[in-house]
Amino acid sequence: MALFNRRNNNAPSATTAVAAPVDPALAALTGDYTIDPAHSSIGFTVRHAMVTNVRGTFGEHEGSLKLDGHHPANSAASIDVKIASVDTGIADRDGHLVSGDFFDAGKFPLMTFRSTQAEQLGGDKYRITGDLTIKDVTRPLAIDLEFNGSATDVYGNERVGFEGSADILRSDWGLTWNAALETGGVMVSDKVKLNFDISAVKAAAPQA
């Protein structure tokens, strides 16, 4: 199902283009959604000591989606993540991550993402591009997503689901702390994979 705009470099000119019919199932998804933090996960994976991966999540986050099934290019996403909620399963490591060596959460409490563009890659695969801000450094980020579908839950909430990931270099956002290993290499890799598993609830239609 095409939730976002499909890029087509061979599209007809404006004088000859014919509007594609709107998919009724897509049109039905149009609306504003709130990300459900109890059923969503935002996290990361990073190589540690050159030999294994450390995984972590941010337990506190909030965000919204705007899906426009009639004009998909108008769809948008916004996410705010509380840095101090990082959890890697080791309290001392979490304390180091929120310190000035890494995120400096006392001074920069939030990581944010604001979308600027979205496109369909084929099937249920999409790419959403936007601005990622960490420690007051804002850089573009493209997130590859898969649409997991829509459903009405047992409480009558209309939901949509997405999962995806993006690779970044943490040094691009000023996260440069490291330590050299005696055997060569460094303690923490520069490359980090961001992971997203999102469930969002559609807002109730306003009363007439």
Side-chain angles (χ1 to χ4, degrees), residues 14-85:
T15 58
T16 61
V18 177
V22 175
D23 181 346
L26 173 61
L29 297 179
T30 297
D32 296 322
Y33 293 75
T34 299
I35 293 175
D36 177 6
H39 297 93
S40 301
S41 176
I42 297 176
F44 60 89
T45 305
V46 61
R47 181 75 71 179
H48 176 263
M50 309 294 290
V51 298
T52 191
N53 289 318
V54 168
R55 293 173 175 82
T57 59
F58 295 94
E60 297 183 39
H61 52 82
E62 61 183 22
S64 61
L65 305 177
K66 178 182 178 181
L67 302 183
D68 189 333
H70 299 280
H71 303 286
N74 294 332
S75 298
S78 174
I79 300 174
D80 294 339
V81 177
K82 187 175 181 181
I83 293 297
S85 70

Side-chain angles (χ1 to χ4, degrees), residues 138-161:
T138 301
R139 296 180 63 88
L141 176 70
I143 305 172
D144 287 340
L145 295 166
E146 183 169 356
F147 176 52
N148 287 337
S150 61
T152 301
D153 66 23
V154 295
Y155 303 105
N157 299 311
E158 296 182 56
R159 291 180 178 269
V160 293

Side-chain angles (χ1 to χ4, degrees), residues 7 55-56 77 81 84 87 93 101 103 117-118 122 126-127 144 166 184:
R7 180 175 294 172
R55 293 173 175 82
V81 177
D87 181 6
R93 182 165 57 206
D101 282 345
F103 287 107
Q117 181 184 1
Y126 303 88
R127 178 170 294 146
D144 287 340

